[in-house]
Amino acid sequence: MSEKQSDYIIKRNKNNYEVVIGLEVHAQVLSNSKLFSTSSTKFGAEPNTQVSLVDAAFPGMLPVINEFCIKQAVKTGVGIKAKINKKSIFDRKNYFYADLPQGYQISQYKDPIVGEGSVILDLPTGEKTIGIERLHLEQDAGKSIHDMDPQNTLVDLNRSGVALMEIVSKPDLRSPNEVNAYIKKLRSIMRYLGTCDGNMQEGSLRADVNVSVRKKGEKEYGTRCEIKNVNSIKFMQMAIEFEANRQVDLIEEGGSIDQETRLFDTKKNETRSMRSKEDAHDYRYFPDPDLLPLEISDDFINDIKKNIPELPDEKKKRFIEKFNLSAYESNILVSDIETSKYFEEVIKNSDVKLSTNWITGELFALLNDKNLEISKSPISAKNLSKLINLIKDGTISGKIAKSVFELMATGDKNPADIVEEKGLKQQSDPKELEKLIDKVVNDNPDKVKEYKSGKKKLFGFFVGQAMKDSGGKANPQLINDILKNKLK
Amino acid sequence: MTGILDLTLVELVGKIKKKDLSSKEVTKTYVERSEKSIKLNTYITEDFKNALQKADNFDNSPNFNKKLPGIPIAVKDLFCTKNLRTTAGSKILENFIPTYESTVTNNIWNEGAILLGKLNCDEFAMGSSNETSFFGNVQSPIGEKLVPGGSSGGSASALAAKLTPATIGTDTGGSIRQPASFTGTVGLKPTYGSCSRYGIVAFASSLDQAGPMARDVKDCALLFGVISSYDNKDSTSVNYKRKDYLRDLSKSIKGKKIGIPKEYRVEGMPKEIEKIWQKGITIAKEAGADIVDVSLPNTNYALPTYYIVAPAEASSNLARYDGVKYGFRAKGKNLIDMYEKTRSKGFGNEVKRRIMIGTYVLSSGYYDAYYLKAQKVRRLIKNDFDEVYKKVDVILTPSTPSSAFKIGEKANDPVSMYLNDIFTVPINLAGLPAISIPAGHDQNGYPLGLQIIGKAFDEQNILNTAYSLEQEIKFKNKINDWWM
Amino acid sequence: MAIDLKTVKHISKLARISLDDKKAKKLAGDLNSIFEFIEKLNKLNTDKIEPLTSISETTLKLRSDEVNSKNIRDQILKNSPDDNKDFFVVPKVVE
């Protein structure tokens, strides 16, 4: 594991503090049915319509495990280069809460399905490896709605029992930026694998953030506080900043940090102590007697390994080596599976360099503007590819292509059709261009004289005029060549 | 028609199939007798009107290809029965009506049987005398003011009093076998995993098993064959080829090796218990079996082990009774207050005691010393049986350390109550099958039982051994209908 | 291992069962006699023994990823103590 110099330091008086961060990411498994029951996991259903007798913990109900969820967990484990444990145990984590119908959560305590692994972060300062402690499967809880009724809390159990992968990092993160990169990388890997859709707005990816501080150079970890259930990267970063500063202030005042669980208040942008979970620390874990130990075979694991798609790190390497792209460009193209899919579709038939530029430039700008994901791009990969080919074969200039692109954005039309309709074909007939240039040269004899006497800058003037007279359609390269000849 | 009441389950089935009796006649007889026996307090919920209607329906279009055609049966109120109140003997489920059926009872109805009603039991199956039920204690037909045993006390009492031809109970530490022993009836706790736990109100998940309670071994064999099935809704259910236990029932135990474990000879055990044990040994010898002295060295640790494991699992299984989704809810000023009041008012004292023990043994700092330790001792206990079964086919012991005691006698002494289970508990810890058959009476005329323990999934062997002994013993239950 | 009143109160909080002092004292007494009886286990040496966590001699059976449960909201809410047709209703949590 490489240790790079942390650039996130909190300075107080003469002391420099570094921040130590560990994340427990909860990722909802992409599956049709829940972990231990056969209810649907679809997001957005009417309250309590995806709840079975097992989910609602009726008397006599028993859990039966979903094989696909196990496969998804193993797949994710392979994706984070982790040890897969052939034997693992499901334990009950006992506590009371309105959205926990059983009065316990089925989770994994001492024997998780996946062991140690790692994730590589792509930071501006270079690569950094973050260690992963473990990944285990557990049930998600339902939802408590506190603001629909002044006296009461309403409970929706649709989410109760959905499979979660809890991914616990080692305390290797040192800054809000690293947290950003870590979440993005983890999310990207799972989206590549199809094991989690990483949709933070819908709650399919959440994290508990563990924050502690220590004076730079100290080897011992400080007391940490856990900030629970932060559901956006932005909030995570804000929470870390606030919490780290709070802890440093406390220490500077001579106080000590209480190990506690805190919430991030998104309205006040600060963390505060959670009183209601105070007794929840004693979870009384014990192996769930309704379930047997899980044993998976080498074949089971190897089958999954065989079917792992190319992951972001490998894809990035390949793009750099095969296509000669820069690390920066590759990063952008592989950061999300949908982007890499789009890119690879375009370059099937188009020039790589142009494709890279058009995707990371014009297309991203368009998507940003319209607040769209690339999977919902108004311009399909096929058609962008066609547009790029029109530039490459000289049919239109780069400048004209930009106008065509804008027109394509309104209805994903075939660019060739647009060029045809609007008569945007580049003028590349040397005879025609010569005529054009002759006119410009003849209309501007003084400028020609000035140019020939040394004012080389005037070359641009002639090019500009020729382009103007051609209605922008002249092939710029040819204009250049012919003009050079004429003005010799 | 007293004739009907004297028929065994197997005989009833025969008569109905031959059309000598109608389902209506049989059901009416049992309903009438049950209605006259309120004093015994065996029923929590009766379903007599529906039962009579179903009997009529059966007679109108009978299906004689079933194993329990038109037979009325009452079951322990721990089995969820669709649309009929299921309370587990508790206030916290006083008005709970399941919208689903347990697999075990579903198996019975699928074979043509008719539900008479739900039978009283110790609250959440926690007890050995049916004195902890919210719905009042059950009287034993053996004698007034006697306990029927527990937790399947209502089942045993109703069975012995002939209010149902047979019944189903559950056994976690002896709750079928001990009441069977106290009431002079036969009770089988099958191998763990042989009967589905789906739809049974859970007490201790690694110990609970449903089982038949009937008048004789044949009836038990029939009923066991009906309720035992593989269920993919229960992850602890075992998929194996089930036998036809009734068809293969055989009296011959010639050459069978029967183990007599010395550790079951407890200090201070009443002489009558020893006598009955000897009686069983003698009968077995005379039938050609080989009697082998064996040792189960960790027997004395079984009860303490059980009283760590069972409450621990129960404390977690009963956490769902929180007043949120179903069942009794007390008013509270906030969520925690609501929980505390609901569970305090909704649960009885024994249940609260066990939840507290369970919570404590799992709590931080104590898990290793108690729960983990108990699970290790459990392995030792199982190993003891595995060793012994290398030398013998079945094991013979008394079922209980005494005959039925008086109501109230042990209610205030939990430990004394727990000692009732001393002979039955090791079997649950090891997951093995065991049957209790009535073998004689004590000086008060109260029944005493013998227990035959078998290898896992080897119910046929213990049924055969039990059958052999039963036919020799010719036990007659002395019931004088004192409550009528 | 003596179980004192403080411990009983702590355990009752974990188990969400309210106890007044009188009940707590009685429970402490009961629990102490029960634990005296359970303490027997300490006499056994179990250092090299594997705990028995499952009795069934099978491995965990795996279910296929099919949605087999439909919308049974009516059934689910039927036994609910409140008469809300869409949600379970509980008193507010104090946070």
Side-chain angles (χ1 to χ4, degrees):
Chain A
M1 191 195 81
S2 59
E3 280 233 50
K4 294 275 157 105
Q5 276 285 49
S6 164
D7 53 1
Y8 188 75
I9 299 286
I10 297 179
K11 292 187 159 77
R12 280 290 185 286
N13 307 320
K14 295 212 171 90
N15 295 318
N16 285 341
Y17 289 88
E18 72 170 356
V19 187
V20 174
I21 303 156
L23 286 181
E24 287 164 22
V25 170
H26 293 95
Q28 260 184 18
V29 175
L30 273 173
S31 68
N32 293 326
S33 64
K34 296 183 179 178
L35 183 55
F36 292 110
S37 79
T38 57
S39 305
S40 168
T41 58
K42 277 211 183 80
F43 179 80
E46 284 294 300
N48 290 305
T49 54
Q50 285 175 184
V51 179
S52 71
L53 298 166
V54 174
D55 298 328
F58 273 78
M61 291 299 112
L62 298 168
V64 182
I65 199 165
N66 180 337
E67 178 176 27
F68 186 69
C69 292
I70 299 171
K71 288 189 172 158
Q72 294 287 64
V74 172
K75 208 172 177 189
T76 308
V78 174
I80 57 175
K81 314 230 179 313
K83 173 171 185 289
I84 310 295
N85 293 322
K86 292 207 277 193
K87 180 164 176 197
S88 64
I89 308 253
F90 286 95
D91 300 288
R92 292 190 186 176
K93 181 179 182 182
N94 297 281
Y95 66 98
F96 286 88
Y97 203 59
D99 56 27
L100 193 69
Q102 287 156 150
Y104 59 85
Q105 174 198 38
I106 302 179
S107 176
Q108 297 189 291
Y109 183 49
K110 291 199 180 142
D111 297 283
I113 188 166
V114 172
E116 289 183 318
S118 64
V119 163
I120 298 176
L121 303 188
D122 308 300
L123 299 168
T125 47
E127 283 188 352
K128 177 174 177 177
T129 302
I130 302 295
I132 303 245
E133 195 66 62
R134 53 182 269 161
L135 177 157
H136 70 256
L137 279 167
E138 62 181 25
Q139 293 176 306
D140 205 346
K143 274 214 185 94
S144 290
I145 302 164
H146 302 291
D147 52 11
M148 269 174 80
D149 179 331
Q151 249 91 23
N152 298 306
T153 293
L154 301 182
V155 180
D156 171 14
L157 295 179
N158 278 350
R159 205 181 58 182
S160 167
V162 170
L164 286 181
M165 291 179 287
E166 179 169 323
I167 304 168
V168 182
S169 82
K170 297 198 172 162
D172 293 344
L173 297 159
R174 295 283 177 273
S175 72
N177 281 341
E178 287 186 11
V179 166
N180 180 30
Y182 176 75
I183 297 279
K184 288 212 166 108
K185 193 54 174 293
L186 203 55
R187 181 178 176 273
S188 175
I189 292 173
M190 291 191 289
R191 281 169 60 85
Y192 266 75
L193 293 170
T195 57
C196 172
D197 67 14
N199 189 329
M200 296 188 84
Q201 284 104 311
E202 287 180 2
S204 34
L205 195 68
R206 311 166 329 238
D208 294 341
V209 187
N210 291 293
V211 181
S212 70
V213 297
R214 64 182 175 189
K215 291 213 181 82
K216 190 105 178 79
E218 254 174 38
K219 288 237 155 58
E220 293 247 338
Y221 290 127
T223 306
R224 63 183 159 95
C225 288
E226 184 185 18
I227 308 167
K228 278 199 101 56
N229 259 327
V230 194
N231 59 11
S232 85
I233 296 179
K234 187 176 119 202
F235 288 150
M236 276 181 228
Q237 295 177 306
M238 290 165 74
I240 291 166
E241 278 205 48
F242 179 87
E243 180 60 19
N245 277 285
R246 180 190 80 88
Q247 291 189 11
V248 167
D249 285 341
L250 246 178
I251 294 175
E252 284 287 311
E253 282 164 24
S256 62
I257 312 289
D258 289 326
Q259 180 174 359
E260 57 178 358
T261 308
R262 299 173 75 84
L263 271 181
F264 183 64
D265 185 327
T266 54
K267 294 200 185 79
K268 294 192 185 149
N269 290 343
E270 46 187 49
T271 66
R272 57 183 167 80
S273 192
M274 271 180 88
R275 275 170 288 126
S276 66
K277 297 245 174 177
E278 68 194 31
D279 288 319
H281 289 309
D282 196 347
Y283 293 122
R284 289 159 277 133
Y285 285 99
F286 72 104
D288 193 328
D290 287 330
L291 297 166
L292 306 168
L294 175 65
E295 291 189 27
I296 53 181
S297 66
D298 285 322
D299 283 343
F300 185 95
I301 300 171
N302 288 332
D303 262 343
I304 292 170
K305 281 188 174 162
K306 267 192 275 174
N307 291 314
I308 298 284
E310 190 182 37
L311 291 176
D313 290 345
E314 282 83 47
K315 208 181 271 288
K316 175 179 160 187
K317 247 202 210 127
R318 181 167 65 86
F319 282 3
I320 294 172
E321 283 164 22
K322 184 168 175 198
F323 303 129
N324 239 331
L325 295 177
S326 71
Y328 176 75
E329 288 168 331
S330 294
N331 255 339
I332 298 179
L333 292 170
V334 308
S335 67
D336 186 74
I337 190 177
E338 295 299 327
T339 307
S340 72
K341 267 194 206 155
Y342 192 99
F343 173 73
E344 287 183 292
E345 179 67 33
V346 172
I347 64 170
K348 265 194 202 150
N349 296 310
S350 297
D351 176 75
V352 173
K353 203 67 196 161
L354 278 174
S355 303
T356 305
N357 292 339
W358 274 86
I359 291 173
T360 62
E362 297 295 317
L363 184 66
F364 274 17
L366 171 69
L367 294 173
N368 256 333
D369 194 56
K370 295 204 186 296
N371 204 11
L372 288 171
E373 302 262 321
I374 199 168
S375 55
K376 302 267 188 298
S377 168
I379 299 176
S380 64
K382 250 217 243 116
N383 279 337
L384 183 61
S385 168
K386 288 195 182 134
L387 179 67
I388 291 170
N389 293 345
L390 289 177
I391 302 171
K392 187 83 186 194
D393 68 17
T395 309
I396 52 174
S397 68
K399 191 151 176 243
I400 295 288
K402 289 200 173 135
S403 324
V404 178
F405 183 84
E406 264 171 55
L407 292 169
M408 284 166 76
T410 56
D412 196 27
K413 281 169 141 186
N414 186 333
D417 295 340
I418 296 176
V419 166
E420 199 58 49
E421 274 169 40
K422 306 265 180 192
L424 298 171
K425 263 211 182 111
Q426 194 168 237
Q427 179 53 271
S428 296
D429 184 349
K431 288 210 188 81
E432 288 295 322
L433 289 178
E434 245 202 277
K435 274 200 212 147
L436 206 94
I437 287 170
D438 283 339
K439 183 170 181 292
V440 172
V441 165
N442 292 335
D443 284 350
N444 297 280
D446 346 306
K447 294 255 164 50
V448 176
K449 233 199 214 149
E450 281 181 62
Y451 177 79
K452 283 192 176 160
S453 66
K455 254 195 172 167
K456 295 298 172 197
K457 272 195 186 159
L458 278 175
F459 190 81
F461 166 75
F462 293 108
V463 173
Q465 279 300 116
M467 290 301 286
K468 195 164 137 218
D469 291 348
S470 75
K473 290 191 233 165
N475 184 327
Q477 192 55 52
L478 285 177
I479 294 280
N480 256 287
D481 295 342
I482 298 173
L483 206 48
K484 266 208 191 102
N485 248 333
K486 289 276 167 182
L487 294 172
K488 267 219 277 264
Chain B
M1 265 172 78
T2 46
I4 289 180
L5 293 172
D6 294 326
L7 297 171
T8 66
L9 179 64
V10 170
E11 288 168 343
L12 270 178
V13 172
K15 287 226 187 275
I16 286 188
K17 281 189 176 177
K18 282 204 234 120
K19 296 202 190 157
D20 288 344
L21 282 176
S22 69
S23 171
K24 184 70 180 281
E25 284 174 283
V26 178
T27 305
K28 197 154 173 277
T29 305
Y30 276 100
V31 165
E32 279 169 2
R33 189 169 167 89
S34 297
E35 282 170 337
K36 291 196 193 116
S37 309
I38 309 280
K39 211 168 179 184
L40 292 177
N41 199 25
T42 59
Y43 280 89
I44 292 179
T45 305
E46 357 156 323
D47 202 28
F48 298 153
K49 228 166 97 194
N50 277 330
L52 291 166
Q53 181 63 61
K54 287 177 196 162
D56 263 336
N57 295 344
F58 176 85
D59 290 332
N60 286 336
S61 55
N63 184 343
F64 296 126
N65 281 325
K66 302 283 186 182
K67 297 203 174 120
L68 302 168
I71 304 283
I73 291 190
V75 302
K76 182 174 184 177
D77 205 11
L78 218 56
F79 294 94
C80 287
T81 42
K82 188 171 180 176
N83 298 329
L84 187 64
R85 179 173 76 153
T86 299
T87 69
S90 179
K91 177 187 170 84
I92 216 165
L93 287 177
E94 187 180 5
N95 295 311
F96 175 67
I97 301 180
T99 55
Y100 51 95
E101 189 82 35
S102 79
T103 297
V104 160
T105 50
N106 204 33
N107 288 351
I108 302 177
W109 317 139
N110 278 343
E111 286 296 346
I114 289 166
L115 177 61
L116 276 173
K118 309 303 288 300
L119 298 173
N120 208 340
C121 58
D122 278 307
E123 188 182 3
F124 282 102
M126 299 184 198
S128 307
S129 61
N130 219 139
E131 290 177 285
T132 69
S133 170
F134 172 69
F135 299 91
N137 38 278
V138 171
Q139 301 268 8
S140 173
I142 301 296
E144 204 168 347
K145 303 272 193 284
L146 277 187
V147 302
S151 63
S152 311
S155 297
S157 176
L159 177 65
K162 300 198 173 146
L163 311 185
T164 178
T167 179
I168 317 279
T170 64
D171 189 313
T172 304
S175 293
I176 284 177
R177 294 160 287 156
Q178 183 251 31
S181 179
F182 278 13
T183 55
T185 54
V186 181
L188 167 68
K189 181 208 94 66
T191 309
Y192 183 83
S194 66
C195 297
S196 169
R197 290 184 302 111
Y198 178 83
I200 302 179
V201 178
F203 161 17
S205 314
S206 74
L207 301 164
D208 294 344
Q209 263 305 275
M213 300 171 76
R215 291 187 206 169
D216 65 17
V217 175
K218 255 192 172 171
D219 286 357
C220 260
L222 170 60
L223 210 39
F224 175 58
V226 171
I227 64 173
S228 176
S229 66
Y230 168 63
D231 187 1
N232 63 9
K233 297 192 292 295
D234 173 358
S235 295
T236 58
S237 175
V238 182
N239 196 359
Y240 65 99
K241 186 105 177 49
R242 270 98 174 145
K243 296 201 164 118
D244 188 337
Y245 301 97
L246 178 61
R247 183 197 66 197
D248 296 341
L249 198 61
S250 152
K251 260 196 299 189
S252 169
I253 54 169
K254 198 163 180 179
K256 207 150 263 172
K257 296 195 171 36
I258 300 182
I260 308 296
K262 62 178 188 206
E263 290 82 5
Y264 276 64
R265 199 157 275 120
V266 204
E267 206 185 295
M269 197 160 82
K271 277 198 228 99
E272 299 158 310
I273 305 285
E274 179 65 48
K275 249 172 81 188
I276 215 114
W277 199 359
Q278 284 308 319
K279 179 172 163 188
I281 292 170
T282 309
I283 291 175
K285 247 194 251 181
E286 282 168 7
D290 288 328
I291 305 297
V292 182
D293 284 324
V294 297
S295 172
L296 295 166
N298 292 292
T299 300
N300 277 331
Y301 299 105
L303 213 47
T305 301
Y306 174 80
Y307 278 101
I308 291 174
V309 174
E313 292 179 8
S315 71
S316 181
N317 282 333
L318 268 61
R320 64 188 58 195
Y321 302 106
D322 55 10
V324 173
K325 299 103 37 199
Y326 46 77
F328 170 74
R329 182 199 287 195
K331 272 206 169 12
K333 42 187 167 41
N334 55 51
L335 186 63
I336 293 183
D337 191 42
M338 186 272 273
Y339 281 153
E340 292 182 345
K341 291 205 169 86
T342 297
R343 291 161 63 79
S344 176
K345 294 194 177 138
F347 290 139
N349 288 332
E350 183 60 37
V351 168
K352 281 192 268 205
R353 253 196 295 268
R354 298 207 195 183
I355 290 177
M356 298 286 285
I357 298 172
T359 306
Y360 185 71
V361 302
L362 289 175
S363 68
S364 164
Y366 298 107
Y367 177 85
D368 283 0
Y370 291 112
Y371 190 76
L372 188 59
K373 179 103 190 171
Q375 291 289 61
K376 290 182 174 192
V377 177
R378 193 173 173 180
R379 162 107 31 216
L380 290 177
I381 292 169
K382 181 166 191 297
N383 289 348
D384 282 356
F385 280 103
D386 289 343
E387 266 310 298
V388 165
Y389 281 132
K390 289 183 185 158
K391 302 184 243 174
V392 303
D393 302 307
V394 298
I395 295 169
L396 177 68
T397 76
S399 300
T400 51
S402 73
S403 61
F405 45 89
K406 288 230 176 314
I407 291 174
E409 190 181 311
K410 299 190 197 240
N412 288 322
D413 185 354
V415 177
S416 159
M417 187 66 86
Y418 296 164
L419 286 171
N420 267 298
D421 300 329
I422 201 167
F423 297 148
T424 50
V425 146
I427 286 82
N428 299 80
L429 291 172
L432 299 172
I435 188 171
S436 174
I437 54 165
H441 297 94
D442 74 353
Q443 64 192 15
N444 293 324
Y446 304 155
L448 294 168
L450 280 176
Q451 173 177 240
I452 298 131
I453 310 166
K455 298 181 191 173
F457 304 107
D458 196 17
E459 279 80 3
Q460 194 70 66
N461 234 336
I462 57 171
L463 285 165
N464 288 352
T465 310
Y467 188 49
S468 175
L469 293 179
E470 175 193 63
Q471 295 301 299
E472 255 319 298
I473 293 170
K474 296 189 184 28
F475 175 87
K476 286 270 173 291
N477 220 352
K478 302 174 190 165
I479 311 267
N480 59 11
D481 289 7
W482 64 263
W483 63 91
M484 290 221 187
Chain C
M1 163 87 304
I3 298 176
D4 58 7
L5 203 59
K6 190 163 151 242
T7 306
V8 171
K9 293 227 151 157
H10 171 66
I11 298 293
S12 70
K13 260 228 140 357
L14 280 181
R16 293 290 187 266
I17 294 176
S18 69
L19 287 178
D20 59 32
D21 276 352
K22 188 163 147 231
K23 287 206 179 95
K25 274 203 187 98
K26 168 96 180 31
L27 207 47
D30 286 341
L31 293 180
N32 272 312
S33 37
I34 293 170
F35 273 92
E36 237 178 77
F37 160 72
I38 287 177
E39 294 294 325
K40 252 195 192 178
L41 288 190
N42 291 333
K43 295 199 193 130
L44 263 183
N45 182 324
T46 51
D47 289 341
K48 294 208 171 75
I49 310 292
E50 272 299 299
L52 186 73
T53 45
S54 64
I55 281 280
S56 301
E57 289 149 40
T58 51
T59 51
L60 193 58
K61 255 166 241 91
L62 312 176
R63 159 179 64 88
S64 74
D65 188 25
E66 282 163 30
V67 174
N68 278 328
S69 303
K70 342 162 249 173
N71 172 1
I72 51 167
R73 183 161 69 183
D74 296 338
Q75 274 187 64
I76 297 291
L77 291 171
K78 188 178 124 175
N79 278 285
S80 164
D82 199 277
D83 57 10
N84 188 313
K85 294 277 178 291
D86 304 308
F87 292 96
F88 293 102
V89 182
V90 298
K92 274 231 186 324
V93 183
V94 174
E95 254 203 34

